[in-house]
Amino acid sequence: MTAKDKSSPPDAQSGAKPATGANSMWGGRFDRGPAAVMEAINVSIDVDRKLYAEDIQGSRAHAAMLVATGILSAEDGAAIDRGLATILAEIESGTFEFSRAREDIHMNVEGRLADLIGPAAGRLHTARSRNDQVATDFKLWVRAAIDRADGALLRLMRALVDQAAQHADTIMPGFTHLQAAQPVTFGHHCLAYVEMLNRDRGRFADAKSRAGESPLGAAALAGTPWPIDRVNTATALGFEKPMANSLDAVSDRDFALEYLSAATITALHLSRLAEEIVIWTTAQFAFARLSDAFSTGSSIMPQKRNPDGAELVRAKVGRILGDLTALCVIMKGLPLTYSKDMQEDKPPVFDASEALEISLAAMAGMIEDMEVNKPRMLEAAGAGFTTATDLADWAVRALGMPFRDAHHLAARAVGLAAEKNVGLEDLSLGDYQSINPKIDARVFDVLGVTRSVESRTSFGGTAPIRVREQVKYWQGFLA
């Protein structure tokens, strides 16, 4: 940005009118320019400059269509295309001078095009409006953001599958209410997040599918009398087809709302995993360790290893959910078609995209980096009488007891083990027979966390054999 771009806008409080006359975009209707405060609130180039590539892409497709339909001469079309290519190169090299006086990305590009090729630049806007132009640019940008999110999700899923492959038989406590419930394998735990993230990919894919229709050619709101070919531009821009209703085309922002909705659910999943990393890396749990690359220290406590990355990922969902709420509120009361309120649609989407993409990258890095403390996980898996359900299930199978009666039997065994300060597998046969004389030595075949996880062979269960099957499936799916 040049020094001119960094300068403050005119005094917004004064309301003074500029002396330079009417705005060049609509000077035919207005004799005087807008108040300074109006200029300050109306300008959007600081935000929508992110759409430069999409704006130029859309303009090149539009110009090519105008040439193909005979609306624009081949000579003017070629000049426009060369000029737009030059502008793209200038922006990407950092030499382009964005001007707040030109208000938005569309007028910045068109103004620079006029500088480069002269009056022919004015023909580019034939048969289109900034209304269908911005809707097209924004939809193209969101579709690209969806692709970036999908790629980041794939990386994270692969990292989790790799951990699952290494720890298919690593035993840890499974929790309900953050209380030790039943032993599970760490591989099984990792694959639970793979399932969640794959659903996230599906939501993004659905959103992209519904964003597959092009608004370009709807013009201001009612279409255009020019004999344009909207299928031509839709195809050129990678859309499946043009939108069928011009009013809907310029006023629709469902694609942005769906993107934010999918991003919010993804961020919720990342936040849950981040919370577990925070818990696992505490000295009290000590289930896992992050290297120096993903830990920070304390300015006063030299012993600290703080999982700041996980904590920040955990917090990002607040921003992303806030962005979804912001856009919902912006859109909720707008009549058809375009209103200037919709200029505020892009900041929440840009913000959410940045927060989501850095969160996905950070989480993938942490999962790839994480070292698992298998002995500590195994020790914790046996605490809290986590095989009590196995005892109850055995009583149903071996003794023919109704499950509710077996549940009471297991509860009495837990009480006795707690009184003796031992595990269920450490009670003697006599201890068990004092609870129910029908219990025999076969009971010890089901006690212990290793036997417990190995027995959970139902589809979707935590048994190592099932985990390895799922790892193989996901490795093929994600290849």
Side-chain angles (χ1 to χ4, degrees):
M1 185 180 290
T2 65
K4 175 179 64 177
D5 298 321
K6 294 180 180 178
S7 63
S8 299
D11 182 4
Q13 299 299 321
S14 70
K17 302 293 180 70
T20 54
N23 187 296
S24 62
M25 287 184 288
W26 48 79
R29 173 65 179 85
F30 294 89
D31 295 326
R32 302 178 65 189
V37 68
M38 183 60 189
E39 287 189 336
I41 196 172
N42 199 47
V43 68
S44 64
I45 187 59
D46 296 335
V47 173
D48 63 27
R49 63 195 296 172
K50 286 182 178 287
L51 299 176
Y52 75 87
E54 291 77 16
D55 194 71
I56 292 171
Q57 180 187 7
S59 289
R60 296 178 82 171
H62 183 69
M65 180 275 295
L66 292 178
V67 171
T69 54
I71 298 171
L72 185 66
S73 71
E75 181 182 6
D76 283 347
I80 287 170
D81 192 71
R82 286 195 303 272
L84 291 171
T86 298
I87 294 168
L88 180 62
E90 289 177 349
I91 295 175
E92 292 184 339
S93 68
T95 61
F96 186 90
E97 294 189 8
F98 289 98
S99 169
R100 290 173 63 86
R102 283 174 169 166
E103 188 177 307
D104 59 27
I105 186 61
H106 321 299
M107 299 313 300
N108 267 264
V109 170
E110 186 175 324
R112 177 57 178 153
L113 186 63
D115 295 339
L116 290 170
I117 69 170
R123 303 186 189 281
L124 174 59
H125 210 53
T126 304
R128 76 172 181 184
S129 162
R130 283 193 298 171
N131 292 355
D132 63 333
Q133 188 178 359
V134 70
T136 303
D137 293 356
F138 195 22
K139 187 174 282 191
L140 287 170
W141 193 96
V142 168
R143 284 166 61 87
I146 288 172
D147 289 340
R148 293 194 301 272
D150 186 71
L153 282 164
L154 283 171
R155 178 189 168 192
L156 176 53
M157 290 171 70
R158 291 183 181 118
L160 287 162
V161 170
D162 287 346
Q163 286 283 6
Q166 295 176 52
H167 297 286
D169 56 2
T170 297
I171 298 173
M172 67 175 291
F175 298 95
T176 61
H177 310 278
L178 202 56
Q179 304 292 315
Q182 293 178 333
V184 297
T185 57
F186 184 63
H188 193 56
H189 196 104
C190 290
L191 291 177
Y193 283 100
V194 174
E195 296 283 347
M196 294 183 207
L197 298 174
N198 196 52
R199 292 195 295 273
D200 293 326
R201 291 187 68 213
R203 275 181 281 270
F204 280 118
D206 288 344
K208 185 175 181 182
S209 174
R210 275 184 291 276
E213 298 180 356
S214 171
L216 192 59
L221 76 161
T224 175
W226 291 95
I228 61 173
D229 185 347
R230 294 189 62 205
V231 173
N232 175 302
T233 51
T235 301
L237 294 173
F239 291 108
E240 296 175 10
K241 58 183 178 180
M243 296 181 75
N245 184 287
S246 61
L247 300 173
D248 181 45
V250 299
S251 62
D252 166 51
R253 293 299 183 271
D254 289 358
F255 61 91
L257 289 165
E258 284 201 65
Y259 170 77
L260 289 175
S261 179
T264 298
I265 296 172
T266 301
L268 287 169
H269 291 154
L270 296 179
S271 183
R272 296 181 72 179
L273 180 52
E275 169 69 3
E276 298 213 279
I277 291 174
V278 170
I279 292 171
W280 293 340
T281 55
T282 61
Q284 290 75 20
F285 270 73
F287 285 2
R289 183 180 185 276
L290 297 174
S291 75
D292 293 351
F294 287 94
S295 302
T296 61
S298 166
S299 63
I300 191 172
M301 295 169 285
Q303 83 282 6
K304 296 292 293 300
R305 294 182 62 84
N306 298 325
D308 283 7
E311 292 169 358
L312 288 166
V313 168
R314 186 174 60 186
K316 293 293 185 185
V317 67
R319 282 180 57 182
I320 297 171
L321 175 59
D323 290 328
L324 171 60
T325 302
L327 187 54
C328 286
V329 174
I330 288 167
M331 297 300 300
K332 71 172 184 63
L334 298 186
L336 295 179
T337 55
Y338 182 83
S339 297
K340 197 67 172 182
D341 310 50
M342 294 164 73
Q343 182 169 292
E344 296 297 318
D345 58 1
K346 288 168 281 298
V349 174
F350 294 162
D351 179 72
S353 172
E354 181 180 344
L356 178 67
E357 289 170 25
I358 197 168
S359 294
L360 284 165
M363 184 57 72
M366 282 184 281
I367 294 299
E368 292 163 353
D369 177 82
M370 188 168 59
E371 297 179 5
V372 174
N373 187 342
K374 295 174 66 172
R376 174 62 189 133
M377 280 188 171
L378 180 61
E379 177 187 10
F385 311 108
T386 56
T387 58
T389 305
D390 299 272
L391 174 58
D393 286 338
W394 178 85
V396 171
R397 291 194 308 272
L399 305 182
M401 299 177 68
F403 184 80
R404 282 298 159 213
D405 292 343
H407 184 281
H408 293 315
L409 181 153
R412 290 180 62 192
V414 167
L416 181 58
E419 181 182 327
K420 291 177 171 286
N421 196 29
V422 297
L424 289 174
E425 65 274 20
D426 299 318
L427 290 174
S428 67
L429 181 58
D431 290 329
Y432 278 109
Q433 290 178 338
S434 71
I435 296 169
N436 187 311
K438 294 182 179 179
I439 295 176
D440 57 48
R442 292 176 298 167
V443 71
F444 295 105
D445 293 337
V446 300
L447 299 176
V449 294
T450 299
R451 294 187 183 94
S452 177
V453 297
E454 289 176 347
S455 72
R456 308 286 171 172
T457 56
S458 59
F459 180 77
T462 193
I465 188 173
R466 295 290 172 255
V467 173
R468 291 190 176 96
E469 288 173 353
Q470 286 297 301
V471 164
K472 184 177 180 180
Y473 165 78
W474 283 112
Q475 286 173 334
F477 184 86
L478 299 172

